[in-house]
Amino acid sequence: ATRTKSADVERADSGIGQMPARKWRNRASETLSSLQAWEAHRPCTDCGERDLPVETDVQNCNQRRADLCEKCRKRRTERKESVLEFVNTEASYGEDLRIIKEEFYLPMQAAGLLSQEQLQGIFSNIQELIDLNENFLEILQEEIDQAFDQGDNDLMTVCIGEVFLEFVNMLPAFQTYCLQQSSSVNMLNALEKEKELLRIFLNVSQNDNTALRRMNLRSFLMAPLQRVTKYPLLLSRIIKATTEYHPDHGSLREAKSRIESHLEHINMKTKQEGNTWTLRSFRQDSKKKREVINIEMRETALKTVGWLREETRFVMEGSLQLAQPPDGQWVKKGSKTLKFQNMQVLLLVNMKRVSESSLESAEPGPVKDAVLVLIRDKNNGKFHLLREPLRLSNCIVSTDPDCDDTFELIEIRREAFVFRDSDRARTHHWFRQIRRYSRELGSWKKRRNALPNIMISTPHTRP
């Protein structure tokens, strides 16, 4: 009796009687039922739909996550297969490049079948393509291995588009090879008719060398052309299987656009050189046409300054209006008195790389040089330079509050130029970028804050 009374007292003191306890149990049961109902119709983590199967991770034979709908499961499978296809075909392409070098180039060089000039004419920049492929494939394989190590069996963390954009420098190397392909084949045909030992070597290699899979040298020399035209197709498959919310979706589309623009540029160059063959043609839109023009302008600028491609950075490029004032009093008269002409302008910076282990992703070093390349609008299918590049180490850049829609660039002891863009904000952006690199170069300007003074004898300097 004492034990029962104490229990009643304790229950009364705790504040939980029989009715509240029953309500709590009912509410807990309702909450559990709601959780089970939500679990049965929880949204897919990829698309947000609610048509998930009821199976759990243990019941799923593929060990896939149970919070994916059937459509997204299929998409993930397709994406994984497309990513692996991209990497595996890149490895196969690299193996063909290795065969070209080790089974043809090096034996022909060691045996003295052809001179070094003839070998260069046939094999072009094959070594550059080999180096690019090895570096590209290494990064791709690291992405795959890291995904598997982290338990990402669907390879959702692998970003092919980002890696491709980091190695976009390989596209000009493909262009060099493709443009020389026609002359390479013609030279090989002529030398094979002329040199009997070369003809015997090629025949024996094709029939007896098992590494060649009974393919001749001409077939292997087509490997870079076939590879560069396959990139858009492989990227399209990955894009199709990648949801627009994926972080690599934008990079994949940008990579596809860049490679298609380069292919169109290669076709344009082959037509200009009178060749009849073309690479696979892709539909052009206005954006791709602009990109093709930009590629051609960059090549013209790079050829003019003579810098290494991997050490060159294109900071800004685009159309500007340019005028050359007859005297230094144009500000008082106003920019309306100046005669402007449309000009394509490119700001190039020569950066010394700190690390040589990678290409586009190499850490940039100090600025060695910076130039402004002025190109006339396209005439007769070609770009023409207005003058030699303006080296910013010999220039002073300034602006005036009375003419805030323009800025002036003075080349010491030579000429003065006034620039403006149709958009005032972009004019200011051009001014800031050019002034930045102008101030970084030249110790005399660091002391004087890049401002003109009486030591600069030029008739164009404004008071």
Side-chain angles (χ1 to χ4, degrees):
T2 304
R3 188 179 301 130
T4 303
K5 181 183 285 186
S6 63
D8 293 339
V9 172
E10 181 179 355
R11 186 168 55 248
D13 292 342
S14 64
I16 302 178
Q18 293 182 355
M19 291 299 294
R22 189 178 302 112
K23 291 181 179 178
W24 180 86
R25 285 194 297 270
N26 292 337
R27 188 175 301 170
S29 178
E30 292 175 359
T31 303
L32 181 60
S33 300
S34 299
L35 288 175
Q36 291 175 346
W38 182 88
E39 183 71 16
H41 300 283
R42 63 193 179 283
C44 171
T45 57
D46 280 7
C47 66
E49 295 182 2
R50 295 178 178 271
D51 58 345
L52 300 180
V54 185
E55 61 188 6
T56 64
D57 286 345
V58 178
Q59 296 170 333
N60 189 359
C61 60
N62 294 324
Q63 295 297 314
R64 298 286 182 85
R65 296 174 62 184
D67 51 358
L68 293 174
C69 66
E70 193 63 32
K71 180 180 178 180
C72 290
R73 285 189 183 184
K74 184 178 179 181
R75 178 187 293 164
R76 284 198 177 193
T77 301
E78 292 174 353
R79 187 180 187 279
K80 179 180 179 180
E81 293 174 352
S82 301
V83 168
L84 292 177
E85 181 186 13
F86 189 100
V87 179
N88 293 336
T89 52
E90 186 70 22
S92 300
Y93 161 66
E95 181 64 20
D96 288 342
L97 294 180
R98 186 194 65 80
I99 289 176
I100 293 175
K101 178 181 178 181
E102 297 184 2
E103 306 298 336
F104 290 105
Y105 180 87
L106 293 179
M108 291 164 67
Q109 184 184 47
L113 296 178
L114 297 176
S115 65
Q116 190 61 38
E117 183 179 355
Q118 291 169 335
L119 289 171
Q120 179 67 27
I122 294 176
F123 295 97
S124 186
N125 61 329
I126 196 69
Q127 184 59 52
E128 181 183 11
L129 294 177
I130 292 174
D131 295 338
L132 288 166
N133 168 262
E134 290 178 350
N135 292 329
F136 187 39
L137 187 60
E138 181 181 359
I139 300 300
L140 290 174
Q141 195 60 54
E142 287 179 1
E143 288 277 315
I144 299 294
D145 295 340
Q146 184 177 2
F148 282 130
D149 291 342
Q150 295 176 350
D152 178 19
N153 294 327
D154 291 329
L155 304 182
M156 294 298 291
T157 58
V158 176
C159 296
I160 296 293
E162 292 183 4
V163 177
F164 192 96
L165 291 178
E166 288 180 3
F167 283 84
V168 75
N169 249 6
M170 64 183 176
L171 299 181
F174 276 109
Q175 175 178 314
T176 300
Y177 186 91
C178 292
L179 293 179
Q180 296 182 8
Q181 178 64 17
S182 180
S183 60
S184 298
V185 173
N186 292 336
M187 179 179 289
L188 178 60
N189 293 337
L191 291 173
E192 193 173 5
K193 294 178 180 179
E194 177 184 341
K195 297 178 178 293
E196 183 178 0
L197 288 179
L198 175 62
R199 185 168 62 254
I200 293 174
F201 168 77
L202 294 177
N203 289 334
V204 171
S205 298
Q206 180 180 355
N207 296 324
D208 298 342
N209 191 341
T210 56
L212 304 186
R213 311 187 298 274
R214 290 192 173 277
M215 294 170 56
N216 55 29
L217 175 57
R218 292 175 187 80
S219 299
F220 282 101
L221 291 178
M222 290 295 294
L225 279 73
Q226 295 170 348
R227 184 58 185 172
V228 73
T229 55
K230 197 171 183 179
Y231 280 135
L233 305 178
L234 295 172
L235 291 172
S236 295
R237 294 178 187 174
I238 301 177
I239 293 173
K240 184 178 179 181
T242 302
T243 177
E244 60 180 357
Y245 304 109
H246 193 279
D248 196 39
H249 190 269
S251 298
L252 285 168
R253 289 193 172 277
E254 177 65 18
K256 181 174 177 289
S257 177
R258 294 286 290 273
I259 182 62
E260 289 180 352
S261 298
H262 270 274
L263 292 177
E264 293 293 348
H265 179 62
I266 293 173
N267 285 337
M268 181 185 65
K269 298 288 286 186
T270 56
K271 292 178 182 178
Q272 291 178 356
E273 296 179 5
N275 295 326
T276 57
W277 66 273
T278 57
L279 296 174
R280 175 185 171 88
S281 179
F282 294 89
R283 180 179 60 84
Q284 284 191 354
D285 53 25
S286 57
K287 180 180 178 181
K288 291 175 185 175
K289 288 180 180 178
R290 289 195 302 269
E291 180 64 22
V292 170
I293 293 175
N294 292 341
I295 293 171
E296 190 173 359
M297 285 196 304
R298 292 176 202 142
E299 287 198 342
T300 302
L302 200 60
K303 184 178 180 181
T304 302
V305 297
W307 297 345
L308 295 176
R309 190 183 303 274
E310 58 269 20
E311 295 182 358
T312 303
R313 189 158 67 92
F314 293 89
V315 180
M316 288 191 71
E317 58 188 31
S319 178
L320 281 178
Q321 293 180 345
L322 176 145
Q324 292 185 268
D327 52 46
Q329 305 298 320
W330 66 271
V331 175
K332 296 181 180 179
K333 302 175 183 177
S335 59
K336 294 181 179 180
T337 62
L338 298 177
K339 184 179 180 181
F340 286 90
Q341 58 178 322
N342 292 326
M343 196 69 54
Q344 297 294 334
V345 182
L346 295 92
L347 174 57
L348 282 70
V349 175
N350 192 3
M351 315 265 312
K352 187 174 182 179
R353 291 183 299 159
V354 176
S355 172
E356 300 292 335
S357 59
S358 60
L359 299 170
E360 188 77 10
S361 58
E363 182 182 354
V367 176
K368 296 194 297 183
D369 202 356
V371 299
L372 210 61
V373 179
L374 309 178
I375 301 178
R376 295 183 184 275
D377 280 344
K378 205 168 184 180
N379 186 20
N380 296 328
K382 293 184 179 180
F383 288 106
H384 298 281
L385 294 175
L386 175 67
R387 62 187 307 284
E388 70 263 18
L390 291 166
R391 297 199 173 275
L392 298 187
S393 58
N394 299 328
C395 296
I396 293 174
V397 189
S398 59
T399 186
D400 194 288
D402 296 332
C403 293
D404 62 347
D405 61 337
T406 62
F407 65 91
E408 186 177 34
L409 185 145
I410 301 176
E411 189 178 17
I412 303 303
R413 302 181 187 277
R414 296 192 64 182
E415 299 176 274
F417 301 89
V418 178
F419 294 95
R420 72 181 182 186
D421 193 280
S422 56
D423 180 42
R424 183 169 299 186
R426 186 162 175 81
T427 300
H428 294 167
H429 185 54
W430 271 100
F431 167 69
R432 289 191 298 269
Q433 289 291 337
I434 295 175
R435 183 180 60 175
R436 169 193 170 189
Y437 291 105
S438 175
R439 286 181 172 179
E440 288 185 9
L441 301 168
S443 57
W444 63 274
K445 283 189 291 187
K446 293 179 182 178
R447 295 195 302 269
R448 298 175 182 138
N449 198 24
L451 295 175
N453 61 15
I454 59 175
M455 299 300 293
I456 302 172
S457 57
T458 171
H460 302 294
T461 303
R462 298 201 303 268

